[in-house]
Amino acid sequence: MEEGNKIPKSASSRLCCRCNERKPALKRPKTLEQICRKCFYEVFEEEIHQVIVGNQLFKAGERVAIGASGGKDSTVLAYVMSELNRRHNYGLDLFLLSVDEGITGYRDDSLETVKRNEVQYGLPLKIVSYKELYGWTMDEIVKVIGLKNNCTFCGVFRRQALDRGAAYLKVDKLVTGHNADDIAETVLLNILRGDVARLSRCTSITTGEDGPIPRCKPFKYTYENLNQNHTYAYFKKLDYFSTECIYSPNAYRGFAREFIKDLERIRPRAIVDIIKSGENFRISTSTKMPEQGTCERCGYISSQKWCKACVLLEGLNRGLPKLGIGRSRGLENGNGNRKDMEQNGDVRSIESKQCGSLDF
Ligand code: SF4
Ligand code: ZN
C-alpha cells in the first residue's frame, strides 16, 4: 500500500481511477486499482452498506449493540455503522457494548479507548464486567487455573456477559467485528477438530436467532489481510488499541491463522474458498437439535441443567477449577452430547476473535 504523499512520482502523475479527479492515495487491496482516499472511503462504506441491505441485517427502529473491544475491527465497525445509520436513515438506535474481563494491562487500557469512542461517535456505552457478573476477574482466574484453560473460561463468560449486556440495553441485535479472516480461521479449526455440527453454521452472517440476541457480522466479506480495515482506520485516524491479550496462549489457533496467511500469500482467493467450503458443507444425516431450556441456577439459556458458565463457576468457587474443563462433549448428561457440542461451538466462535485479532 502506498500512503498519501508517499506515492511514487510515476504514480502521482495519474489520477484516481474512480473519480478521475484526485490524486490516488493507495492501491485498492481487492482490485489493485489506484484510488484516492475519498473514493476508498466511499467504496469501503458502500460495500458494508450493500452487505447490510442485501442480507437485511436490520429493520428500522431496532436497537443495536456494537460489540466494542477497542480493537481495530470493532472501532471501524462502530464508526462505519454510525455513519451509515445517519447517511442512509437506517433508523437504528446504536450502542457500544464492552466486556471487562478484568485483565490488568490489557483490557483496562483498551476500555479507555472505547470510552473515548463513546464520546467521539456519540454512542452510549455499557460495560459489563466478569467481576460484577461472576465475582471473578480473569486475573484471579488465571492465578487459579494457570495459562492452559483460561480462554475456555473467558470464552464462556464472554458469551453470557455480552448477552446480559445486550439484555440490559434492551437491544434487538448485537453486531461484531468478525471479518472474513476470522471466519475462515473458524471454518478451518472446526474441520481440524471434526466439529461438523458447528461447521456449516459458523459461516452465517447472522447467528443465534434461536438464542436471546441474534448476532450479525457486517464485515463477513472484509479481508483483514488485504488491509481494508487497517487502511480505513489509518486514514480516518480512528482511535483504537492494538495489543494482544497477555493471557493469549492459543497456539493451535495461532497455527491456523499463520497457515491461512501462508495460503493467502500463494493464492489470494484462499480465504474466500475456505469460507465457501464451510458454507457448502452439509451434514447428510438429520441432526437432532437440542431443546432449549434455561439454567436452573442463573436462568441463562441452556440445554443442560446448569449452563456452562455455572458449571465453570461452581468449579472455581469450590476450589476445583478443572470441573467443567476437558470433557467438553456430552459433559453434563449422557445423551446430550449434541447439545453440548452446540454450546461449545458457540464458545469457540467468540473466543476466536478475541484471542487472535483483539476484537469480539
Ligand atoms: Fe480471554 Fe482472549 Fe485473553 Fe483468552 S486471549 S484470556 S479468551 S481475552
Ligand atoms: Zn447458569
Side-chain angles (χ1 to χ4, degrees):
M1 185 196 64
E2 295 141 350
E3 299 153 11
N5 45 16
K6 288 184 197 143
I7 272 211
K9 256 205 149 162
S10 59
S12 65
S13 54
R14 290 200 294 269
L15 290 172
C16 164
C17 67
R18 190 166 171 268
C19 66
N20 231 344
E21 283 172 18
R22 292 174 289 266
K23 281 190 181 166
L26 72 148
K27 255 190 213 150
R28 256 204 92 195
K30 264 189 185 172
T31 56
L32 300 180
E33 296 161 327
Q34 300 268 7
I35 60 170
C36 68
R37 278 185 199 207
K38 190 155 183 281
C39 285
F40 171 68
Y41 298 151
E42 282 172 15
V43 171
F44 181 83
E45 289 159 5
E46 181 59 21
E47 269 178 19
I48 307 300
H49 173 59
Q50 288 308 327
V51 170
I52 289 173
V53 175
N55 293 279
Q56 299 176 324
L57 293 189
F58 314 111
K59 289 193 208 84
E62 277 183 339
R63 294 165 69 88
V64 176
I66 301 161
S69 66
K72 180 184 63 207
D73 291 330
S74 69
T75 304
V76 172
L77 182 65
Y79 180 84
V80 171
M81 280 289 296
S82 52
E83 282 291 307
L84 294 177
N85 189 35
R86 249 193 307 273
R87 189 179 309 158
H88 298 286
N89 295 317
Y90 288 167
L92 303 176
D93 258 336
L94 297 175
F95 303 86
L96 296 173
L97 174 57
S98 293
V99 176
D100 181 1
E101 298 93 343
I103 302 175
T104 314
Y106 166 62
R107 185 54 81 213
D108 43 0
D109 291 339
S110 67
L111 283 176
E112 289 309 311
T113 311
V114 183
K115 286 178 196 161
R116 289 196 299 274
N117 293 159
E118 176 186 22
V119 180
Q120 289 155 349
Y121 308 153
L123 301 175
L125 164 68
K126 169 73 185 161
I127 301 175
V128 280
S129 82
Y130 286 4
K131 185 70 180 175
E132 258 169 54
L133 288 176
Y134 312 112
W136 291 77
T137 63
M138 275 312 291
D139 286 339
E140 290 163 349
I141 293 172
V142 166
K143 272 200 195 110
V144 176
I145 188 93
L147 282 173
K148 197 151 174 258
N149 294 308
N150 54 311
C151 294
T152 303
F153 284 84
C154 199
V156 171
F157 287 169
R158 177 175 306 108
R159 175 163 192 81
Q160 261 201 38
L162 281 170
D163 279 338
R164 292 196 189 280
Y168 174 92
L169 290 171
K170 297 193 177 60
V171 291
D172 304 290
K173 268 163 204 159
L174 173 67
V175 290
T176 59
H178 290 90
N179 58 35
D181 296 60
D182 301 317
I183 297 170
E185 201 179 293
T186 305
V187 168
L188 187 65
L189 283 174
N190 283 327
I191 292 171
L192 293 175
R193 284 164 170 156
D195 194 341
V196 279
R198 171 90 190 126
L199 186 55
S200 57
R201 220 182 39 157
C202 68
T203 55
S204 311
I205 191 157
T206 301
T207 52
E209 282 159 304
D210 49 344
I213 313 279
R215 293 162 187 242
C216 333
K217 305 185 265 270
F219 286 164
K220 182 186 164 183
Y221 302 101
T222 307
Y223 310 131
E224 189 185 83
N225 283 358
L226 294 178
N227 268 324
Q228 293 227 93
N229 277 3
H230 179 81
T231 310
Y232 190 88
Y234 173 82
F235 278 159
K236 286 268 180 185
K237 298 193 173 54
L238 299 186
D239 185 1
Y240 68 89
F241 180 81
S242 52
T243 301
E244 194 151 343
C245 173
I246 49 172
Y247 301 139
S248 169
N250 213 329
Y252 198 49
R253 180 168 287 281
F255 171 77
R257 175 167 306 126
E258 283 310 311
F259 178 64
I260 287 178
K261 280 186 181 153
D262 284 347
L263 281 179
E264 206 188 8
R265 257 173 239 129
I266 306 167
R267 184 176 145 80
R269 277 191 51 88
I271 297 257
V272 192
D273 292 342
I274 293 169
I275 295 176
K276 278 258 168 324
S277 67
E279 279 172 346
N280 293 333
F281 200 92
R282 293 283 175 275
I283 309 163
S284 56
T285 52
S286 56
T287 315
K288 236 181 101 202
M289 293 313 280
E291 303 145 39
Q292 207 71 269
T294 46
C295 169
E296 279 183 12
R297 235 168 82 152
C298 72
Y300 187 73
I301 50 150
S302 175
S303 50
Q304 314 290 337
K305 195 166 163 242
W306 283 10
C307 72
K308 190 81 182 164
C310 282
V311 173
L312 291 174
L313 259 183
E314 177 71 6
L316 279 176
N317 292 332
R318 277 173 43 192
L320 300 165
K322 297 232 164 82
L323 199 65
I325 299 283
R327 296 166 299 146
S328 56
R329 294 188 183 177
L331 173 69
E332 280 89 14
N333 64 21
N335 58 7
N337 34 357
R338 183 83 58 198
K339 303 174 185 180
D340 217 337
M341 198 145 95
E342 285 280 309
Q343 218 176 19
N344 285 316
D346 276 343
V347 166
R348 276 199 287 272
S349 75
I350 300 300
E351 255 179 52
S352 72
K353 183 69 181 167
Q354 189 68 22
C355 296
S357 43
L358 306 165
D359 276 61
F360 295 120

